[in-house]
Amino acid sequence: MKHCLLLITAILLAHVANAQKKFERETRIKSAKVAEKARTYVESLFPDSKKIKWYLEENLEGVTIEAKLKENRSIYSIEFDTLGTLHDIERTQKFDQLPMEVQGNVTAYLKKRYKSFKIKKIQIQWTGDPDVLHALIRKGDTDNTFTTNYEIVYTGREDKDTASYESLFDRHGKHIETKEIIERNLNHLLY
């Protein structure tokens, strides 16, 4: 009984530790390998786009399918499960394009947590009903309800250690979660 309790505790601790880490591996796939529901959705969002690239993404939570494309000087990433159900839509942003409230709250959080930091990438993230998000992307606005978050990838230095992180902030710039990015360790050269 004692050993069983120790094993359960170890498993729970490992799960909590994984919840604070992020690892992704993307592999390019052909559109024919993507669920038709996902392909049709992306093609209806961007009917004039000729360069939709599809990826299989493996992470600590499972496997997803992602469409990436460049449209109107922004990079879009549309994520689905393997059956074609929409998870979210993300679009790259520059820090100075964020609302002032978000800029202030994000900067305050990073300054409080790290001795120094450098932002690498910012994405606005929308989640909600696929039809509502479709209207948002196609028309630029919608009266229906959806969720807006900001995903920020950065390096942060605590004491002497520097690491890469991904933090999620709500539409006001309030911190939701942070995950340390697990860098891919390659023991061989890539050509």
Side-chain angles (χ1 to χ4, degrees):
M1 181 68 172
K2 193 179 196 180
H3 294 290
C4 185
L5 187 58
L6 286 173
L7 180 61
I8 291 171
T9 303
I11 290 170
L12 288 174
L13 287 174
H15 179 69
V16 169
N18 279 342
Q20 301 300 320
K21 302 283 186 183
K22 178 176 178 145
F23 173 79
E24 291 179 346
R25 182 172 61 191
E26 291 182 343
T27 307
R28 183 88 188 266
I29 59 173
K30 295 182 184 220
S31 63
K33 300 249 182 202
V34 176
E36 184 177 347
K37 180 178 172 182
R39 275 196 329 266
T40 305
Y41 186 80
V42 172
E43 289 166 0
S44 70
L45 276 176
F46 305 100
D48 299 328
S49 183
K50 305 268 189 267
K51 294 187 178 183
I52 300 170
K53 296 179 181 177
W54 291 95
Y55 296 87
L56 177 78
E57 181 182 291
E58 299 171 274
N59 56 51
L60 296 175
E61 285 106 36
V63 176
T64 58
I65 303 296
E66 198 166 23
K68 293 185 181 187
L69 62 121
K70 190 172 185 179
E71 188 77 21
N72 298 325
R73 290 186 256 177
S74 292
I75 298 172
Y76 285 86
S77 174
I78 304 100
E79 188 171 16
F80 302 88
D81 68 15
T82 55
L83 300 176
T85 303
L86 181 67
H87 281 198
D88 61 48
I89 299 174
E90 296 175 337
R91 184 185 72 206
T92 56
Q93 293 276 157
K94 292 184 179 178
F95 191 75
D96 62 2
Q97 293 175 318
L98 300 178
M100 292 303 289
E101 175 188 30
V102 174
Q103 289 181 42
N105 288 337
V106 167
T107 301
Y109 171 81
L110 294 174
K111 282 183 176 180
K112 182 178 176 184
R113 174 129 187 217
Y114 304 99
K115 286 188 174 184
S116 65
F117 62 89
K118 182 176 181 181
I119 295 175
K120 294 179 174 181
K121 181 171 81 169
I122 300 171
Q123 292 180 306
I124 184 170
Q125 179 191 77
W126 296 291
T127 57
D129 180 87
D131 293 333
V132 172
L133 297 182
H134 190 279
L136 175 68
I137 299 300
R138 293 293 296 153
K139 298 175 185 170
D141 197 13
T142 180
D143 293 330
N144 295 308
T145 304
F146 61 93
T147 301
T148 299
N149 291 317
Y150 298 94
E151 189 178 271
I152 301 180
V153 176
Y154 59 94
T155 55
R157 185 169 66 86
E158 298 175 282
D159 297 323
K160 296 178 183 178
D161 298 326
T162 301
S164 294
Y165 300 94
E166 179 182 278
S167 288
L168 191 65
F169 297 86
D170 72 9
R171 66 187 181 100
H172 300 290
K174 181 181 173 193
H175 179 259
I176 297 172
E177 71 176 354
T178 295
K179 294 180 180 180
E180 183 178 349
I181 298 171
I182 301 169
E183 302 293 337
R184 204 168 147 196
N185 186 5
L186 298 176
N187 293 328
H188 60 283
L189 295 175
L190 295 178
Y191 292 95

